[in-house]
Amino acid sequence: MIECRMRYYSTRNKNESVNFATAALAGLAPDGGLFVPDEIPSLPASAKSSLGSMGFCDIAMETIKPYVKDEIPDNALSDIVGSAFTFDAPFVAVGDRYTAELFHGPTAAFKDFGARFMARSFSYLRRGEDRPLRILVATSGDTGGAVADGFFEVPGIFVTVLYPKGRVSPLQERQIAGLGKNISALAVEGSFDDCQRLVKAALADEDLKKRMSLSSANSINISRLIPQAVYYSAAAGRAFAGLTDPDGSATPRLTNQTSLTGQPSQYAAQTERTRGKGMPVTLCVPSGNFGNLTAGLYAMKMGAPITQFIAATNMNKTVPDYLDSGEYLARDSKATLSNAMDVGAPSNFERMASHFSWDEMKRIILGVYVNDEETKETIARIAKDEGYFLDPHSAVGWKGVDKLRAQNKLQEGTVGILCTAHPAKFSETVEPLAGKVPVPASLSRAMDRTVDAKTIPAEVPALIDFLNEIN
């Protein structure tokens, strides 16, 4: 039997396809669309039956291998995975639900998973190349820091990060613009949507592409999205097996594992349970540009035991509104406490729509939105009741679950929330509400950096002029 090669086509043109290396290194398709695989493969039966007990890197190998099999051999992929995922994603119990802690990496955000895999796969795919590669990335907060860290000092690759001036936290800005060397930063006088528009325009500029090799590291890049499916399979596998993980070194829980009311948290030390065992899990995803949720949909289609998703947004509720009405209306973004989710025109919705109809999305995704006052109330309440700190984005997810439970919309079984960033990254918001947050070592080091960024207007010529100056 001849094994089919995995191909990738544009969301705007299914008649032409490319291999993984071409899709990853190009970032954006020539017609402005996003690359998607021509099929979503299934996990091997042996992996499906043992997800709960497999190590994270083993799950990563099984998840990523079918997408890259034609360009990255197993031995090289094993090296990439082992180097990228040097940290875990603990699935821990908090109160009446569970959290998948995705902030144990070097920049304390879920973007570390995709960015670190991407950096290492790019290095492998470009082995032997003499022409430098310039990566452009737009960020609303965490992506920029993760990409900067992932590509820092990678030979032959230069990164330019665009972020909305005044709309990221001080710590996020230090992570984005504090490394130097092969990492440069542009503070854009506008919104994240403006940053994203500038990046897309530059990547589509034929004259610019003749003079330099360009790519993107946003979740529009398929090589950053695919590895994010791994932690969905890991969390779903643990839930289905009736297992949870012990707290990790960066778990933001009071050290005595009691709530601030002085009562022991009944779930804090639990590692085995029967509630929800053998049932697919519901996973709540704090959502902005919707790359994270798209990766979850891939994991579900591959066979991870997930019954439904919750797309929890802040007041930038383009997708929840679409799920209600069937009409997609992009809009200008609004600034909120959960700034990394301030996206009014999420790029990855185009990917979602290429795989699923509105009716299909409605069956597997519940949309919900949360305002800033609800976000603050949730941060304060969970710290007080459970002795657990939530960042503003994870708090949107927690409150979203509360709202849907009150409406009796959740299916039976375990509910997990993807906690996408460590609360210490947003101490100026969290600490007045919840008290002093423990700071992981990775963030302590970043706080000592000095910001070095150039401010530009939200205009394409300004970005192109900058790229021409440094090329």
Side-chain angles (χ1 to χ4, degrees):
M1 180 177 177
I2 299 175
E3 189 176 26
C4 295
R5 294 170 62 86
M6 178 67 75
R7 304 291 291 177
Y8 295 83
Y9 62 86
S10 168
T11 49
R12 302 178 188 179
N13 180 9
K14 294 187 177 182
N15 295 321
E16 296 183 11
S17 63
V18 299
N19 61 16
F20 172 78
T22 301
L25 294 173
L28 201 64
D31 58 8
L34 279 64
F35 284 113
V36 292
D38 59 5
E39 65 169 328
I40 299 177
S42 294
L43 288 167
S46 58
K48 288 182 186 178
S49 63
S50 55
L51 281 177
S53 58
M54 290 173 67
F56 192 87
C57 286
D58 292 329
I59 296 174
M61 282 292 295
E62 297 293 350
T63 301
I64 300 171
K65 182 163 56 175
Y67 293 100
V68 305
K69 60 188 177 185
D70 303 318
E71 283 78 41
I72 305 178
D74 287 357
N75 61 339
L77 180 60
S78 179
D79 290 342
I80 291 170
V81 164
S83 173
F85 306 137
T86 56
F87 47 91
D88 293 322
F91 188 66
V92 305
V94 182
D96 62 354
R97 63 204 70 174
Y98 301 85
T99 63
E101 295 184 340
L102 306 182
F103 45 70
H104 288 255
T107 71
F110 79 97
K111 308 291 178 76
D112 284 326
F113 291 93
R116 288 172 64 84
F117 176 84
M118 181 186 191
R120 287 149 181 79
S121 61
F122 270 32
S123 181
Y124 177 82
L125 294 172
R126 298 190 79 253
R127 64 198 185 282
E129 286 280 348
D130 293 328
R131 191 183 191 189
L133 176 67
R134 180 160 295 283
I135 290 176
L136 304 178
V137 57
T139 184
S140 55
D142 286 333
T143 292
V147 171
D149 180 87
F151 281 93
F152 183 56
E153 294 186 319
V154 172
I157 299 179
F158 297 85
V159 176
T160 298
V161 183
L162 289 76
Y163 64 97
K165 186 175 182 179
R167 295 198 189 185
V168 301
S169 74
L171 175 57
Q172 286 175 322
E173 190 168 32
R174 285 175 172 83
Q175 291 180 314
I176 293 166
L179 287 171
K181 294 191 177 181
N182 63 323
I183 311 296
S184 57
L186 294 176
V188 177
E189 294 175 323
S191 67
F192 166 75
D193 293 326
D194 290 318
C195 298
Q196 190 160 251
R197 173 177 54 82
L198 297 186
V199 167
K200 287 185 175 181
L203 292 173
D205 189 297
E206 293 299 329
D207 182 60
L208 197 62
K209 288 192 291 185
K210 289 176 182 177
R211 287 182 281 112
M212 60 186 74
S213 297
L214 294 174
S215 186
S216 170
N218 279 91
S219 54
I220 59 176
N221 194 303
I222 193 68
S223 70
R224 221 198 79 189
L225 186 144
I226 288 170
Q228 291 179 227
V230 177
Y231 50 71
Y232 283 94
S233 293
R238 298 295 276 167
F240 191 80
L243 298 171
T244 57
D245 297 306
D247 288 358
S249 60
T251 296
R253 201 196 302 265
L254 293 184
T255 55
N256 61 3
Q257 294 190 337
T258 64
S259 71
L260 296 185
T261 59
Q263 298 300 313
S265 174
Q266 60 177 314
Y267 298 99
Q270 186 178 6
T271 56
E272 293 188 37
R273 55 186 172 78
T274 57
R275 179 165 57 87
K277 184 176 182 179
M279 299 176 67
V281 67
T282 293
L283 292 176
C284 179
V285 188
S287 301
N289 210 26
F290 277 81
N292 200 4
L293 182 56
T294 302
L297 292 169
Y298 281 25
M300 183 184 198
K301 290 279 284 184
M302 292 185 77
I306 302 168
T307 188
Q308 65 180 352
F309 292 98
I310 299 168
T313 73
N314 54 31
M315 294 305 292
N316 295 283
K317 55 190 182 72
T318 301
V319 172
D321 284 350
Y322 165 78
L323 293 171
D324 283 341
S325 68
E327 185 177 11
Y328 180 81
L329 295 172
R331 61 205 67 173
D332 292 337
S333 61
K334 301 176 182 177
T336 74
L337 289 177
S338 46
N339 65 287
M341 294 156 54
D342 291 349
V343 184
S347 284
N348 278 282
F349 179 80
E350 192 168 331
R351 271 199 180 105
M352 293 167 60
S354 74
H355 291 296
F356 302 93
S357 69
W358 175 58
D359 286 334
E360 289 171 326
M361 280 195 236
K362 278 183 65 69
R363 282 198 297 272
I364 56 179
I365 306 171
L366 298 174
V368 63
Y369 63 92
V370 175
N371 64 38
D372 278 356
E373 288 306 311
E374 292 170 324
T375 301
K376 290 191 286 187
E377 180 277 329
T378 302
I379 292 170
R381 173 167 52 89
I382 300 310
K384 179 175 181 290
D385 293 348
E386 301 299 335
Y388 190 88
F389 298 95
L390 296 169
D391 82 284
H393 309 82
S394 305
V396 167
W398 191 288
K399 183 63 177 181
V401 171
D402 290 344
K403 286 187 165 186
L404 293 173
R405 272 186 170 162
Q407 299 168 24
N408 295 315
K409 290 186 176 180
L410 297 186
Q411 296 186 27
E412 185 180 357
T414 297
V415 175
I417 298 168
L418 272 66
C419 287
T420 53
H422 197 282
K425 297 191 76 169
F426 304 90
S427 58
E428 66 278 3
T429 297
V430 176
E431 292 191 351
L433 301 166
K436 187 68 174 176
V437 180
V439 179
S442 60
L443 297 187
S444 295
R445 290 190 292 269
M447 288 175 179
D448 293 331
R449 297 175 187 164
T450 299
V451 171
D452 181 13
K454 179 179 180 180
T455 298
I456 65 168
E459 299 171 358
V460 175
L463 172 58
I464 293 178
D465 286 346
F466 173 81
L467 294 175
N468 285 330
E469 289 173 7
I470 63 176
N471 188 41

